[in-house]
Amino acid sequence: MAAPKKTTLKAPKPLVAGNWKMNGTTASLGEVKKLARALAKKKNKAKCEVMICPPATLLAPMKALKAKGVALGGQDCHAANSGAHTGDVSAAMLKDAGATAVILGHSERRADHLETDKQVKAKVGAAHGAGLLAIMCVGESLKQRKSGDTLKVVKAQLRGSLMDDCTAKNTVIAYEPVWAIGSGLTPTVEQVEEVHTALRKALVRRFGDEGAKMRILYGGSVKPANAAELMAVPNVNGTLVGGASLTAKDFGGIVKAYA
Ligand code: 13P
C-alpha cells in the first residue's frame, strides 16, 4: 500500500493588523516608533506579523521611519491602475508609498460608499496585480445576526468578493461583525468559532490547500484584555484592530497575545 501522502500544510503565521481609519497626522508617527521599539525587545518577540494601515497620507512618512517589524497597508484602493478618478488611490500608488497590503471591502466602505461585492472583487484583483496582499472584510449587521442570517451573509460576501486565483500568500480574510466595530461589544468565542469554521470550509471548498492556509482574522472591539481569548479560537489567525491600534501601548498589548 502506498505511504500516506505527506501534508505540506503549514499553520499560517498570524497577522495582527491595525486599521487607523481616518485618524492620524504626522503627529502620530511617534506611536509607530514606540511600537517598533517595544517589538524589538526580546521579551516581546511576536510570533505574528504586525502591520499598520494608516491613512494613505501617512504611508510614505511611516515608511521613512524604517520601523523594523511593522509592515504597512492601505485602507482601500481603486480597481483601476490610474486615470480620471479624482480623490482615489490605486494599488500601485499604495505600493509605491510603502504598503505591502491593502484592506478591501471594509464595512465602513460598504456602508459609506455603497461598495458592492463585485466592486470589492475588482479591487482584490487590482491589489493582486500590484503585488499587494488583499485583506478582504466580511461581516453581518446586528439585524442580520438577529434574524439568523449571519452565515448566509458572510458566505455570500466571501463568494462574491474574491477572485478565483486567490492564494494564502496574496489574500487574507477579515471577519468583522458590523455591530462589534467600535461598540465595545464582541461576539462570544462560540459565535466567532462558528463563523470562522464556516469561512474556512468555504475557502477550502473553493481554493483547496490554499484555502486551508489562508488567514482569517477576527476584528471588532479587540482590546489587550480580550485579545488572547479571541486569538485562541480555532481558525482565528490574527486580528484587524481599529481604535486600539492607535496607541503603541494598546496595540502592543494585543500583539502580546502571540508573544
Ligand atoms: P474597532 O477595533 O475600533 O472595533 O474597529 C474594528 C475595525 O473596524 C477594524 O477594521
Side-chain angles (χ1 to χ4, degrees):
M1 210 169 70
K5 213 172 137 205
K6 245 197 190 158
T7 172
T8 50
L9 287 187
K10 256 209 212 142
K13 196 169 189 186
L15 170 66
V16 175
N19 174 8
W20 278 22
K21 308 192 178 184
M22 201 172 71
N23 295 294
T25 61
T26 48
S28 328
L29 294 174
E31 291 301 319
V32 183
K33 279 196 223 164
K34 254 195 243 168
L35 179 69
R37 265 201 306 273
L39 292 178
K41 287 192 185 140
K42 220 174 165 180
K43 67 175 171 71
N44 292 335
K45 217 88 218 111
K47 293 185 187 66
C48 61
E49 289 175 26
V50 178
M51 178 183 291
I52 292 182
C53 303
T57 48
L58 286 181
L59 280 169
M62 276 195 194
K63 187 183 179 191
L65 295 177
K66 293 191 169 45
K68 252 181 117 184
V70 183
L72 299 177
Q75 297 178 9
D76 176 53
C77 71
H78 196 279
N81 283 333
S82 61
H85 303 289
T86 303
D88 278 313
V89 176
S90 75
M93 290 168 183
L94 294 175
K95 179 143 193 208
D96 183 50
T100 56
V102 58
I103 299 170
L104 296 170
H106 191 283
S107 61
E108 286 152 14
R109 298 228 35 110
R110 291 177 187 264
D112 296 354
H113 300 270
L114 307 179
E115 284 188 12
T116 62
D117 289 344
K118 200 167 156 217
Q119 285 168 324
V120 176
K121 181 177 177 175
K123 292 178 179 205
V124 169
H128 291 170
L132 295 182
L133 174 74
I135 303 174
M136 201 284 288
C137 307
V138 299
E140 82 287 4
S141 67
L142 191 57
K143 194 165 162 233
Q144 289 163 333
R145 174 158 286 276
K146 282 191 171 155
S147 59
D149 290 330
T150 298
L151 297 186
K152 196 175 94 192
V153 168
V154 298
K155 283 200 281 187
Q157 288 173 330
L158 192 75
R159 220 175 15 252
S161 309
L162 290 182
M163 317 290 294
D164 286 329
D165 60 356
C166 288
T167 67
K169 280 221 170 81
N170 67 20
T171 308
V172 167
I173 308 303
Y175 167 53
E176 300 204 312
V178 178
W179 52 273
I181 294 177
S183 62
L185 302 171
T186 51
T188 63
V189 293
E190 289 79 12
Q191 287 171 327
V192 173
E193 183 171 357
E194 184 190 29
V195 176
H196 280 242
T197 304
L199 292 173
R200 176 68 67 211
K201 278 192 190 148
L203 288 172
V204 170
R205 250 196 318 272
R206 182 160 171 197
F207 302 108
D209 278 0
E210 291 300 320
K213 288 185 290 188
M214 209 174 274
R215 287 171 289 187
I216 309 175
L217 315 183
Y218 167 77
S221 294
V222 176
K223 306 272 179 284
N226 61 16
E229 188 185 30
L230 288 163
M231 296 313 106
V233 175
N235 283 310
V236 172
N237 314 114
T239 178
L240 185 54
V241 185
S245 70
L246 294 171
T247 65
K249 187 167 172 278
D250 283 349
F251 198 44
I254 291 168
V255 170
K256 270 197 187 145
Y258 289 111

